[in-house]
Amino acid sequence: MKDDNDPGVDDSFENVLEEAARNLQRRTSPGHSIARMNEGSRELVPLQLEERRLIHREESVRRQSDAFREIRTRLLGIAGQQNFVTLVVAVSPRSGGSFVTRNLAAAFAFDEAKTSLLIDCNLRYPSQHRALSVDPAGGGLIDFLEQPSLGIEPVLYRTGIPRLRLIPAGKARENSGEYFSSYRMSTMLDSLRCRYPDRYLFLDGPAIKGSPDARILSDLADFVVVVAGYGRDTPAAISQAVTNFDPEKMAGVVFNHVP
């Protein structure tokens, strides 16, 4: 199968994904998928999580944790029983979009019946690997899209949080839209979501202002969460940002105090 709009795509990419999915399915049943995602001795303790500006279950960050759990509850209420892909984008740079994406993914991972996959799609200014203290030695999203024969496993990184994995951005790229609109990107997301019914995907997208990538990424997502910087983004800017997306995909606007 070939997409005429994407001359670099051929049958080999789809075959690589299908074969990887079959191999993984042979190694583990759905009931074992969550058990395999425990961090063991590498699990981060609350102090380490706070240093990374991440929520946890202890009382010291209860208010913040409850806020992200509330967003989780809203998304699950909209989606029903089906797992989904959520795009999180800020209205403008430095409004805390990556912070919200990271902690929303962590909130889903709190549920022992669910797993989270955080994908850094901010190719110009990637930050998730640094925030989570992950060394992306095996590459990231762009490396996989450019050379899918390497397989997806090398770019799936442990985070120190049980049931939460990260795909970092990989190589820095200026023209990211061509990757996000490609057949390879959509096929990868479909494969990652369908492999486990308990997996929820979170795309950390670039700010809406000044980049078309957020709109392109929204075509790949089931839901869109817009992050507005409290005291930074005006009501007019927020309203304008929301118009970039399909109203049926808009899950809501999060006001964030922390950049």
Side-chain angles (χ1 to χ4, degrees), residues 56-227:
H56 53 77
R57 290 187 173 90
E58 301 301 319
E59 189 64 33
S60 59
V61 294
R62 176 61 57 85
R63 184 170 61 87
Q64 294 89 339
S65 296
D66 286 348
F68 284 103
R69 284 191 178 103
E70 185 176 341
I71 301 171
R72 179 187 67 185
T73 299
R74 175 177 174 80
L75 288 170
L76 290 171
I78 296 171
Q81 299 299 313
Q82 183 68 37
N83 64 342
F84 48 81
V85 179
T86 302
L87 169 66
V88 182
V89 286
V91 174
S92 59
R94 297 183 296 279
S95 292
S98 295
F99 167 80
V100 171
T101 315
R102 188 164 57 250
N103 279 285
L104 183 56
F108 271 76
F110 278 2
D111 187 335
E112 296 183 0
K114 296 177 175 59
T115 66
S116 294
L117 178 58
L118 172 60
I119 306 176
D120 194 339
C121 297
N122 193 341
L123 303 189
R124 292 186 183 180
Y125 306 107
S127 64
Q128 295 293 0
H129 65 287
R130 290 191 297 271
L132 293 166
S133 298
V134 169
D135 177 14
L141 174 63
I142 295 307
D143 304 276
F144 173 74
L145 293 176
E146 289 184 343
Q147 197 172 357
S149 60
L150 296 174
I152 195 70
E153 296 300 328
V155 302
L156 284 169
Y157 295 84
R158 294 176 178 269
T159 62
I161 302 169
R163 299 175 297 281
L164 174 59
R165 295 290 185 265
L166 168 69
I167 296 181
K171 297 177 182 176
R173 285 288 185 272
E174 287 294 322
N175 299 320
S176 47
E178 64 186 76
Y179 293 98
F180 297 149
S181 60
S182 70
Y183 174 77
R184 290 181 175 184
M185 180 72 175
S186 61
T187 303
M188 182 198 74
L189 291 177
D190 287 343
S191 176
L192 289 169
R193 174 168 60 175
C194 294
R195 185 177 298 175
Y196 298 128
D198 53 55
R199 171 180 280 164
Y200 294 80
L201 279 64
F202 298 90
L203 311 182
D204 178 18
I208 301 166
K209 187 176 180 180
S211 172
D213 292 349
R215 176 66 184 85
I216 296 170
L217 284 165
S218 72
D219 291 336
L220 303 171
D222 299 298
F223 303 117
V224 178
V225 174
V226 171
V227 179

